[in-house]
Amino acid sequence: MRHHLVLRIVSKLLIPFIILYGLYVQFHGDFSPGGGFQAGVIVAAAIVLYALIFGIDRALSVFKPEVLMALAPLGVILFAAVGYYAMAMGGAFLDYDWLVADDTTGQHIGIITVEFGVGLTVTSVMALIFLAYAGRTQDIDDDDW
């Protein structure tokens, strides 16, 4: 991998901007097209690019699967917590009007929080799927066929 100097330099320049664009899509999803799923895939694409350019071993040391496995359900928990909090306050599941006293503020806080949970889960799961397949070995026994 040492001979791909141009790819390494260009990817070091691009990866932060890819992640920044993913965050833009994440936090502007309630005003424009986009949101948690799209942002999660964009950020996961930055992780995939990192792994393809710098190697799977280095990617596994930077993006630890244990951390990604902890973040994936955290996003689901965040999503569900917003819904159950709205129910506890007297509304329906994911009825953002009940989150705070002002309905507009409740809608804004609710959708940003839910979309952040979705983005966190999608990023983690997409990265885990890629790292699991890219990091597997080619050892196949004759019994497996």
Side-chain angles (χ1 to χ4, degrees), residues 3 6 18 54 71 73 75 77 84 92-93 103 116 121 135 137:
H3 57 281
V6 173
I18 293 170
F54 295 101
L71 290 177
I77 290 169
Y84 288 127
F93 187 75
D103 292 348
F116 182 72
T121 299
T137 61

Side-chain angles (χ1 to χ4, degrees), residues 12-29:
K12 280 184 182 180
L13 293 172
L14 283 179
I15 287 172
F17 287 107
I18 293 170
I19 294 172
L20 183 65
Y21 180 66
L23 291 173
Y24 171 80
V25 170
Q26 172 73 50
F27 292 111
H28 286 82

Side-chain angles (χ1 to χ4, degrees), residues 42-110:
I42 292 169
V43 174
I47 295 171
V48 169
L49 177 63
Y50 184 88
L52 291 174
I53 299 298
F54 295 101
I56 192 68
D57 294 330
R58 188 164 173 191
L60 286 171
S61 67
V62 173
F63 305 104
K64 302 203 179 299
E66 299 83 18
V67 174
L68 292 173
M69 281 192 265
L71 290 177
L74 185 65
V76 175
I77 290 169
L78 185 62
F79 183 95
V82 171
Y84 288 127
Y85 180 76
M87 287 176 62
M89 298 304 290
F93 187 75
L94 295 177
D95 187 4
Y96 305 132
D97 294 338
W98 292 86
L99 295 178
V100 292
D102 181 28
D103 292 348
T104 305
T105 305
Q107 290 283 330
H108 189 69
I109 290 172

